[in-house]
Amino acid sequence: MRTRFLSKCTNQEVEAYLQTNDLIFIPVGVTELHGGLPLDSETVISEAVALNLAEKTDGLVLHNLPYFYAGATISGRGTVQVSVRDGIDYLLAVAKSLYRQGFKRQVFISLHGPASLTIGPVIRDFFEEKKIPLLYIDSMVTMMKPEFAQKFFGGEGDPFTDLILAGYDYLGRLDEVPLTTPENDFSEKKEPSLAFANDLFRSAFGSSSTAYYFGELSDHMPTHKIESVEHRQQIADNGKPLFDAFVESLEIEKKVALLKELADFQDEVVIPKYKDWLYE
């Protein structure tokens, strides 16, 4: 296809696509403080992953979804905070619109800790109404797999910055990442201001345990010094193998095939069997 991004297609191109496929990836982003990187860092990496997955599976991508619940990063005045409830309602409306237009298989993607608070309810509420299963790929879950957990949460270096810059580069947007200045230098790793409350945060998954704001802007998060244009490219190049491994670990071809199989099972087996009380 000329482009995988839905909004960059002509209507005729989308009409033609829907004659043969019904798959769309929906990267859900955020606009928030992220060390010395642009506020859209976690939006860009989600869009880069979504585009890569769409290319592997002949899907389209619905991007430009950067304003949802940010969470603790509201301490930074560049962060845009949307309530969880407003985000759910908006995203559910988007999912319903896509469904009406013919996208029966929808895959939501995020790389933002609190995103599950918004996307999880959309998946469940959509199914209750339409009886069609959607899929949510929470990249934070992928990071906890053994092959990634040590690198992201216990290793040396700065793999988050490597991964994010690889994402910017993949989208042809690497020049949007600024070089480090004294004002945006977040390279020093410090004890998080909320470390004293870690036992509370481990009580539930996905930012669901309690609510808080970061006490220091450096809490989210230490990022590489980027000393020159050449150094920026080097960081992106270093992150590419990690980006590729991350995407491959999602096994997206298998997942989208299973999503269709799950939908068929619900439609052909479960719902007919229990339809008397599954519908109001």
Side-chain angles (χ1 to χ4, degrees):
M1 294 187 65
R2 183 180 61 85
T3 179
R4 293 284 172 184
F5 289 111
L6 177 72
S7 64
K8 298 181 183 298
C9 292
T10 66
N11 184 69
Q12 291 76 14
E13 288 172 328
V14 176
E15 297 268 7
Y17 172 81
L18 287 168
Q19 295 300 311
T20 60
N21 210 346
D22 62 356
L23 176 63
I24 192 159
F25 293 87
I26 306 164
V28 179
V30 69
T31 300
E32 68 171 1
L33 164 74
H34 195 113
L37 299 181
L39 297 165
D40 66 355
S41 294
E42 293 179 14
T43 299
V44 168
I45 186 60
S46 296
E47 291 180 353
V49 171
L51 178 59
N52 195 293
L53 298 181
E55 290 171 339
K56 291 177 179 295
T57 56
D58 187 29
L60 295 184
V61 177
L62 182 72
H63 71 319
N64 291 331
L65 292 170
Y67 305 116
F68 287 91
Y69 180 67
T73 54
I74 193 64
S75 306
R77 295 179 70 184
T79 296
V80 176
Q81 187 81 296
V82 175
S83 77
V84 174
R85 171 50 57 194
D86 287 342
I88 292 169
D89 291 343
Y90 175 66
L91 204 56
L92 186 58
V94 169
K96 289 179 180 179
S97 176
L98 290 170
Y99 174 77
R100 287 194 302 270
Q101 302 308 103
F103 292 97
K104 308 303 183 186
R105 288 184 296 167
Q106 300 180 26
V107 181
F108 292 80
I109 299 166
S110 71
L111 200 158
H112 172 60
S116 60
L117 298 174
T118 300
I119 305 173
V122 171
I123 301 298
R124 300 304 307 194
D125 285 354
F126 185 93
F127 181 74
E128 291 300 324
E129 180 176 338
K130 303 295 185 183
K131 305 299 186 279
I132 300 291
L134 310 179
L135 176 63
Y136 172 32
I137 297 176
D138 185 346
S139 296
M140 302 304 293
V141 173
T142 302
M143 288 181 177
M144 294 177 186
K145 291 181 178 180
E147 62 266 38
F148 296 113
Q150 179 61 28
K151 179 178 289 292
F152 280 109
F153 302 111
E156 297 297 323
D158 181 8
F160 283 105
T161 302
D162 295 347
L163 184 71
I164 288 171
L165 262 63
Y168 274 98
D169 199 27
Y170 183 75
L171 294 178
R173 295 174 54 183
L174 187 58
D175 60 354
E176 296 178 16
V177 179
L179 304 183
T180 303
T181 66
E183 292 75 27
N184 72 344
D185 186 353
F186 284 79
S187 59
E188 182 183 355
K189 292 188 177 182
K190 302 177 182 178
E191 176 80 359
S193 66
L194 292 168
F196 67 90
N198 282 342
D199 284 348
L200 295 180
F201 306 149
R202 298 187 188 104
S203 299
F205 183 74
S207 301
S208 300
S209 59
T210 187
Y212 53 91
Y213 299 133
F214 288 132
E216 298 290 341
L217 299 186
S218 58
D219 288 346
H220 194 272
M221 57 189 307
T223 47
H224 275 312
K225 275 189 178 180
I226 304 174
E227 298 174 346
S228 64
V229 171
E230 294 75 19
H231 186 216
R232 182 173 63 192
Q233 185 64 61
Q234 180 186 348
I235 295 170
D237 291 343
N238 289 343
K240 189 175 186 304
L242 178 60
F243 180 92
D244 291 342
F246 192 81
V247 168
E248 288 300 321
S249 74
L250 299 178
E251 299 181 305
I252 194 60
E253 295 93 341
K254 177 181 177 181
K255 283 186 171 67
V256 297
L258 283 174
L259 185 61
K260 185 178 188 307
E261 187 176 338
L262 177 62
D264 290 344
F265 179 75
Q266 297 297 307
D267 193 45
E268 297 169 8
V269 178
V270 178
I271 292 173
K273 185 176 181 180
Y274 303 113
K275 62 180 181 182
D276 289 346
W277 55 88
L278 290 179
Y279 292 91
E280 295 181 357

